[in-house]
Amino acid sequence: MIVAQQLRRKSRWIILGVLSLLAAYLLFFTPVRTYIDQRGQMSAVAHQQQLLVQTNKQLDERAKQLQSDAEIERLARERYELVTPGQQAYAVMPPPAPPAPPEKPKKNGLWDKIKFWD
């Protein structure tokens, strides 16, 4: 009976130790890991926000450029080949492609000399 009581005491201490380790894990390590993950996510979101702010600035500048008559005229000439009234548009054609080289005659081998019908 003494041995059984000693085993119960040891098992109680083991169970108490396991439960205390589990409690320490749940109370300390899990919140710390969550905190670290959230900090990483916040830095990623902050970087993405900086990129979006920079992109918005570039788009605002482009929108201001597109409000000017000079930019509209430049785009009309460049993309749509438009001209102002009184001007004529000319298109420069590329030179014609060189003619294809003539085909070389096939070599007449033994197989070419054999005729099955004619």
Side-chain angles (χ1 to χ4, degrees):
M1 287 200 193
I2 295 176
V3 174
Q5 288 177 350
Q6 288 177 348
L7 284 175
R8 285 183 194 156
R9 285 182 191 160
K10 286 183 180 180
S11 64
R12 286 180 189 166
W13 281 107
I14 291 173
I15 291 172
L16 183 63
V18 169
L19 289 176
S20 62
L21 286 175
L22 182 62
Y25 176 77
L26 291 175
L27 294 174
F28 180 71
F29 294 115
T30 303
V32 170
R33 186 177 61 206
T34 304
Y35 174 73
I36 291 171
D37 290 343
Q38 287 175 351
R39 284 187 59 196
Q41 290 173 355
M42 285 179 55
S43 67
V45 168
H47 179 70
Q48 185 179 10
Q49 180 188 13
Q50 287 175 351
L51 290 176
L52 290 174
V53 167
Q54 183 181 8
T55 303
N56 280 342
K57 286 180 183 178
Q58 291 173 349
L59 290 174
D60 286 340
E61 290 174 9
R62 183 67 180 146
K64 288 178 185 175
Q65 284 178 348
L66 291 173
Q67 296 300 319
S68 71
D69 290 338
E71 184 67 13
I72 292 171
E73 183 179 344
R74 185 186 70 80
L75 288 174
R77 289 178 186 271
E78 180 182 303
R79 292 185 185 172
Y80 305 110
E81 300 173 5
L82 297 177
V83 294
T84 57
Q87 290 183 339
Q88 281 189 332
Y90 292 96
V92 178
M93 301 300 291
E103 277 190 34
K104 295 180 182 177
K106 294 183 178 179
K107 295 180 181 178
N108 290 333
L110 178 62
W111 187 254
D112 294 330
K113 292 180 183 177
I114 299 174
K115 295 185 180 181
F116 291 103
W117 56 86
D118 249 356

